[in-house]
């Protein structure tokens, strides 16, 4: 006499108006609404499907949670860089922290207007960069840095980890003297440092 535990499946992130299913398949529950037999999401959240009871709900993300959308300006850390693409872990949208894990991808053709040969001249793993979301598919955010204020805002020496300083056309490591290349945002090294100072003042 064991009651079978509900079989549940957590699905994708949805925003209000996203189609989730039809009433022939599921019983609509919290966080959903129905129009003409179609179930839509009412909130920003994750779809939760109870396969045992054929019930579908949308588990709302915290109200303060920010989610990147097409057109958002994001800040993230480069998780990996290959010749043609770089992966970016997004942690801010606008200037607010995001809740959850959002993965961005920057393609070498979206770096700047003029031709860029290799992503290795643009950013490296560990760098912090600002970019714009140009499209989103299956929770992968395609990014662009085709603007003066977009690009790397914080770059680290791949030899010793020090903060790199812009010098003429390249980046210079003040500690070990290594020369590297990056696609910089116009306020490289300024924005984050200033904000850090501000945060310290607020705390004290
Ligand atoms: Zn160095």
């Amino acid at each position: 006499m064991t009651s079978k535990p509900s079989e549940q499946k957590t699905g994708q992130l949805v925003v209000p108006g996203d189609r989730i299913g039809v009433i022939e398949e599921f019983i609509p529950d919290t966080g959903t609404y129905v129009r003409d037999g179609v179930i839509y999401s009412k909130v920003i959240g994750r779809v939760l499907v109870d396969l045992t009871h054929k019930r579908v709900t949308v588990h709302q993300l915290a109200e303060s949670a920010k989610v990147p959308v097409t057109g958002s300006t994001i800040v993230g850390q480069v998780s990996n860089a290959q010749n043609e693409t770089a992966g970016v872990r997004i942690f801010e949208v606008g200037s607010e922290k995001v809740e959850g894990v959002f993965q961005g991808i920057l393609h070498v053709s979206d770096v700047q207007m003029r031709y860029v040969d290799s992503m290795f001249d643009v950013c490296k793993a560990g760098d912090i960069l600002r970019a714009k979301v140009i499209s989103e598919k299956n929770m992968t955010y395609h990014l662009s840095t085709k603007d003066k204020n977009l690009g790397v805002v914080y770059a680290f020496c791949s030899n010793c980890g020090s903060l790199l300083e812009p010098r003429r056309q390249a980046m210079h490591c003040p500690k070990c003297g290594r020369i590297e290349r990056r696609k910089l945002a116009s306020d490289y090294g300024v924005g984050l440092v200033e904000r850090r100072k501000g945060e310290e003042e607020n705390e004290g």
Side-chain angles (χ1 to χ4, degrees):
M1 277 228 349
T2 50
S3 68
K4 206 173 132 197
S6 299
E7 198 186 337
Q8 294 199 330
K9 205 177 95 185
T10 309
Q12 71 194 78
L13 188 87
V14 289
V15 297
D18 276 358
R19 185 192 157 112
I20 301 169
V22 292
I23 52 171
E24 282 84 1
E25 295 176 283
F26 300 114
I27 302 161
D29 209 327
T30 320
T32 68
Y33 68 92
V34 177
R35 186 177 294 156
D36 300 328
V38 179
I39 306 167
Y40 298 94
S41 179
K42 208 159 60 175
V43 294
I44 296 175
R46 285 189 188 279
V47 177
L48 192 66
V49 179
D50 184 332
L51 296 169
T52 312
H53 302 101
K54 300 277 174 203
R55 208 185 296 274
V56 65
T57 59
V58 179
H59 180 72
Q60 187 173 10
L61 294 174
E63 262 178 54
S64 62
K66 274 288 200 169
V67 173
V69 294
T70 302
S72 296
T73 299
I74 64 92
V75 177
Q77 183 164 38
V78 178
S79 50
N80 63 82
Q82 279 134 27
N83 194 41
E84 292 197 335
T85 58
V88 177
R89 191 176 54 82
I90 298 169
F91 56 76
E92 273 184 18
V93 175
S95 56
E96 294 181 57
K97 298 254 180 295
V98 294
E99 210 160 292
V101 177
F102 297 97
Q103 191 62 38
I105 187 161
L106 176 64
H107 191 266
V108 75
S109 62
D110 295 316
V111 169
Q112 54 192 26
M113 298 310 283
R114 69 171 176 78
Y115 175 77
V116 178
D117 183 46
S118 163
M119 192 56 81
F120 298 122
D121 293 337
V122 174
C123 62
K124 288 205 164 76
D127 288 356
I128 308 296
L129 72 78
R130 187 190 297 122
K132 195 167 192 168
V133 177
I134 50 174
S135 68
E136 184 267 320
K137 201 179 180 188
N138 301 326
M139 286 286 284
T140 299
Y141 296 84
H142 289 266
L143 306 174
S144 165
T145 54
K146 281 183 184 173
D147 204 346
K148 258 179 68 179
N149 69 328
L150 303 176
V152 174
V153 291
Y154 230 159
F156 302 99
C157 175
S158 50
N159 180 42
C160 74
S162 298
L163 181 65
L164 295 174
E165 292 172 357
R167 188 179 287 187
R168 295 191 192 90
Q169 297 302 310
M171 303 298 288
H172 176 254
C173 176
K175 202 173 167 192
C176 74
R178 190 182 165 89
I179 306 289
E180 300 191 4
R181 291 192 168 278
R182 295 292 194 280
K183 192 284 182 187
L184 297 185
S186 52
D187 61 346
Y188 174 83
V190 177
L192 288 170
V193 173
E194 277 188 350
R195 201 168 64 222
R196 278 194 167 181
K197 275 185 194 160
E199 279 169 6
E200 278 163 20
E201 279 160 21
N202 289 342
E203 281 164 15

